[in-house]
Amino acid sequence: MRRTLTVAAAAAALLVSAGPLPVAEAGGAAAVAAGRWGVAEAESFWTPERMASARPLPPGPPEPATAPQVPVAPQPPETPVRIPPAPSATPSPSPTPTVTTTEPTPTPTPTPTPTPTPVTLPAPGPAPAPPVRPALPRVPAAGPGVGQDFGGLPVVGRMFLVKGGGSYFCTASVVASPGRNLVISAAHCLLGSDTRQVAFVPQYTRAEPRPFGMFPVVRTAAGRSKIWIDQRYRTQGVNRAAALDVAFAQVGPGPKGRRVQDVVGGNRLVTGAGYAHARATLIGHPSTAARPRLCVNRTTKYTSGDARIPGSFLRIACTGYPGGTSGGPFLLRLDGRTGTGDVVGVIGGWKTGGDKPDVSYSSYFGADIRKLYEKAVAGAKAS
């Protein structure tokens, strides 16, 4: 829900639902909601035509004027924690082309507070078979901050959902976990009890909408999607709780019964890594393009001066990230062979990711996000 709309356009967006109205169709949202929601139902519902017609979420409803301010202050640097995937066999070397990007031109920045060496947490469980991945697309070289469309990465895709009778999408990516079944996105994308028919599609493009099939977000016995969002974000809203604009979701097996991380891999979650990074890769699915978008640039710390949107955020200048890119990952140390890296942010937070398409923001990944991840891991394991 990038805020790129004018006030008049925002009002219009609230009156006109995006995409087709699934509830009006035979076998549509109403029928699916009453039954199970597995991969067969998800792929039947989210046809290529419906996915292509889905739109970014419009701006949300006004927040209560009496909502208290979020008690989330700018967080001091802490020991970085990297959460790795479970051990897996190393794929055999192949002549796979690699993702190539250009090192950004060094720019003088305030020296960040030194941080200790990241702590790697052990991952339980036996080693599974290595993921089977296609050749990674080659990315033409571009200058720092210049966004460019490309073929995508298997670990990043679109998260489709139905809300208020309309078909929508955001960007999401697989995050490594012991259960190998979690994805990460922005909380504002998945907020609301009317969020239904949620499914993750890795490496979506208009030309090849399901290269790995579809991974439906798991439902509880009561029919609720298994999505973890900090309760303060739910109760205090997208502005006052902007520093907590992160969500995790559990997805079920794909069409061949395999877990998503076993199929496409997973990015390692890193918390407490600070705000300033010399080289970060930003990936998102713009509403204006048939393919995802990639950009490399440095990140800086942005502290809000607006009392209505408190907190400090990661900031990156990258061209061409309009609506639809919300939830897209900020990646460090992207490996061109595996197509995975360390995720330190997702597009969201300050004005839900940015009020201009050429500058994006992320909530800071500190102790609150680590606790939310641990809660998602425990919840996904218990199911």
Side-chain angles (χ1 to χ4, degrees):
M1 190 176 64
R2 303 265 329 228
R3 295 192 177 172
T4 58
L5 301 179
T6 63
V7 174
L14 292 174
L15 297 175
V16 182
S17 55
L21 298 178
V23 294
E25 300 180 8
V32 175
R36 66 184 302 272
W37 180 246
V39 63
E41 291 77 17
E43 290 194 338
S44 175
F45 181 85
W46 287 110
T47 62
E49 294 75 21
R50 181 171 282 150
M51 287 190 284
S53 68
R55 297 291 181 266
L57 286 165
E63 299 176 38
T66 57
Q69 183 167 317
V70 162
V72 180
Q75 303 180 46
E78 56 186 275
T79 302
V81 178
R82 178 181 291 115
I83 302 175
S88 60
T90 302
S92 302
S94 65
T96 299
T98 60
V99 175
T100 59
T101 55
T102 300
E103 286 283 351
T105 303
T107 304
T109 58
T111 303
T113 303
T115 53
T117 303
V119 178
T120 300
L121 303 182
V132 178
R133 303 186 184 96
L136 298 177
R138 184 176 298 277
V139 181
V146 178
Q148 53 189 327
D149 296 343
F150 78 125
L153 296 177
V155 77
V156 184
R158 284 191 179 189
M159 183 76 91
F160 291 96
L161 59 117
V162 168
K163 183 186 288 286
S167 301
Y168 301 101
F169 76 91
C170 277
T171 302
S173 57
V174 182
V175 60
S177 68
R180 309 178 75 79
N181 58 358
L182 289 181
V183 297
I184 185 172
S185 187
H188 71 263
C189 291
L190 299 173
L191 194 64
S193 59
D194 61 337
T195 300
R196 301 179 297 166
Q197 273 70 277
V198 191
F200 174 65
V201 182
Q203 202 173 357
Y204 171 90
T205 63
R206 191 77 56 82
E208 192 173 3
R210 295 179 191 163
F212 300 98
M214 191 169 286
F215 295 83
V217 169
V218 174
R219 290 180 179 175
T220 65
R224 295 179 179 274
S225 296
K226 298 199 70 174
I227 296 168
W228 289 268
I229 296 173
D230 192 295
Q231 185 60 30
R232 289 170 290 177
Y233 195 85
R234 295 183 185 277
T235 58
Q236 300 185 32
V238 301
N239 281 335
R240 291 177 176 82
L244 301 169
D245 192 1
V246 180
F248 295 94
Q250 179 184 349
V251 296
K256 296 183 179 180
R258 301 183 65 198
R259 296 171 296 185
V260 67
Q261 190 178 327
D262 291 333
V263 176
V264 300
N267 294 316
R268 296 160 296 280
L269 180 70
V270 175
T271 62
Y275 298 85
H277 303 287
R279 179 184 176 88
T281 301
L282 187 68
I283 299 176
H285 281 259
S287 58
T288 54
R291 301 192 299 163
R293 194 162 182 82
L294 177 145
C295 172
V296 177
N297 207 350
R298 64 187 179 93
T299 65
T300 56
K301 181 178 181 178
Y302 174 79
T303 299
S304 172
D306 187 339
R308 298 168 300 176
I309 314 175
S312 293
F313 307 88
L314 274 71
R315 177 187 184 276
I316 189 170
C318 277
T319 60
Y321 284 76
T325 58
S326 287
F330 286 58
L331 299 175
L332 305 182
R333 294 171 284 275
L334 178 61
D335 187 327
R337 183 178 61 85
T338 65
T340 62
D342 295 340
V343 58
V344 296
V346 295
I347 295 177
W350 191 78
K351 293 193 176 180
T352 57
D355 54 358
K356 298 178 181 179
D358 295 340
V359 180
S360 298
Y361 300 82
S362 169
S363 301
Y364 179 67
F365 279 21
D368 287 321
I369 304 307
R370 185 168 67 248
K371 290 176 183 177
L372 185 64
Y373 168 82
E374 291 168 352
K375 185 176 181 180
V377 167
K381 184 178 180 180
S383 62

